[in-house]
Amino acid sequence: MNGDAKKIAFIACVNDEEMYEESVRYLRHLEVPQGFSVELVPVRGASSMTAGYEAARRATTARFKVYMHQDILLTEKRLIPRMLEIFRLRPEVGLIGFAGCQHIPDSGVWWDSKECYGSVWHVREPESMELVSRLAVPDEGIEVAALDGIFLATQADVPWREDIFTGWHFYDLSASMEYRRRGLRLFMPHFEKPPCIHETGHKRLDDAWESARQVFLAEYGEELAGS
């Protein structure tokens, strides 16, 4: 557990400055426990999500790192204290997220699972929000097999697989598997309300997504049966 235990780094790959500025405005309203500091680590010009995140991981001295999309608005004011409390009480937890599944399907697509959890507000059209709600997370939280990459908080460093994931897809499922390979657990806390707004717009799954899925299955496919 290396790094400054009183510092939390918020890491994002940025290619839309206006969107990132809005995200930062929400970050600045989060409650920060006394004695802790928050560091913003925007990564610009990254060649891939894994390359950007790995560069940021190496650049910050913070023990606690939050990897998040530039289009996420964090609305849960007590997010940082909650996150730190979970990590303190559960040292075996390596990743905390907002959405995920208990079993990864053979397809490698986490949202194809019959046991998906978490609720997030999505904005696909201007001035219009829709709630994407899956199974309710129990009050005590829940361990899962995979977490979605909109928000990933860590207390232990595991390298991002920039050697095989060279685009913008499946980095999150890869991280989920890499943490599990090291015996670390993935956890989703219970929130009374959705903890964030995702200003996602309309995004289509393209050929690069399918290529990344095949890379994921080639690397981790044999491990999915036990996920």
Side-chain angles (χ1 to χ4, degrees), residues 127-195:
E127 308 302 325
S128 175
M129 283 202 308
E130 63 175 301
L131 181 62
V132 177
S133 187
R134 301 178 175 92
L135 294 174
V137 177
D139 289 352
E140 66 274 15
I142 192 169
E143 286 192 15
V144 293
L147 288 166
D148 183 72
I150 58 169
F151 177 97
L152 294 170
T154 74
Q155 69 169 333
D157 276 345
V158 172
W160 294 87
R161 292 298 303 274
E162 59 179 322
D163 56 326
I164 55 175
F165 290 95
T166 57
W168 306 94
H169 306 290
F170 280 88
Y171 64 92
D172 44 2
L173 272 289
S174 168
S176 298
M177 297 300 292
E178 292 293 327
Y179 273 80
R180 288 172 53 195
R181 281 178 170 180
R182 289 159 176 80
L184 294 164
R185 307 293 181 85
L186 282 56
F187 190 77
M188 289 179 59
H190 169 82
F191 295 104
E192 292 297 324
K193 301 176 182 177

Side-chain angles (χ1 to χ4, degrees), residues 68-180:
M68 55 185 279
H69 288 190
Q70 65 180 353
D71 55 4
I72 289 292
L73 310 178
L74 295 174
T75 54
E76 174 58 52
K77 295 287 177 54
R78 298 202 72 253
L79 177 65
I80 294 174
R82 288 281 307 281
M83 182 182 80
L84 293 173
E85 182 182 33
I86 292 166
F87 283 143
R88 180 178 62 82
L89 295 175
R90 303 188 60 149
E92 76 280 7
V93 170
L95 277 179
I96 293 173
F98 290 164
C101 65
Q102 277 205 301
H103 301 285
I104 305 173
D106 290 341
S107 65
V109 181
W110 76 264
W111 59 81
D112 285 346
S113 172
K114 295 176 181 177
E115 296 169 303
C116 294
Y117 289 85
S119 298
V120 173
W121 287 107
H122 278 256
V123 177
R124 293 192 172 92
E125 305 286 352
E127 308 302 325
S128 175
M129 283 202 308
E130 63 175 301
L131 181 62
V132 177
S133 187
R134 301 178 175 92
L135 294 174
V137 177
D139 289 352
E140 66 274 15
I142 192 169
E143 286 192 15
V144 293
L147 288 166
D148 183 72
I150 58 169
F151 177 97
L152 294 170
T154 74
Q155 69 169 333
D157 276 345
V158 172
W160 294 87
R161 292 298 303 274
E162 59 179 322
D163 56 326
I164 55 175
F165 290 95
T166 57
W168 306 94
H169 306 290
F170 280 88
Y171 64 92
D172 44 2
L173 272 289
S174 168
S176 298
M177 297 300 292
E178 292 293 327
Y179 273 80
R180 288 172 53 195

Side-chain angles (χ1 to χ4, degrees), residues 6 48 60 63 89 94 101 105 114 131 145 158 201 205 216 224 227:
K6 292 291 186 179
S48 68
T60 179
R63 171 182 166 188
L89 295 175
C101 65
K114 295 176 181 177
L131 181 62
V158 172
L205 302 179
F216 176 82
L224 296 186
S227 70

Side-chain angles (χ1 to χ4, degrees), residues 10-17 20 40-59 67-68 70 168:
F10 284 86
I11 295 164
C13 289
V14 176
N15 65 2
D16 184 324
E17 297 297 335
Y20 180 63
L40 300 180
V41 189
V43 182
R44 298 175 173 90
S47 60
S48 68
M49 194 69 95
T50 52
Y53 280 174
E54 182 62 15
R57 182 183 76 82
R58 294 171 180 270
Y67 301 89
M68 55 185 279
Q70 65 180 353
W168 306 94

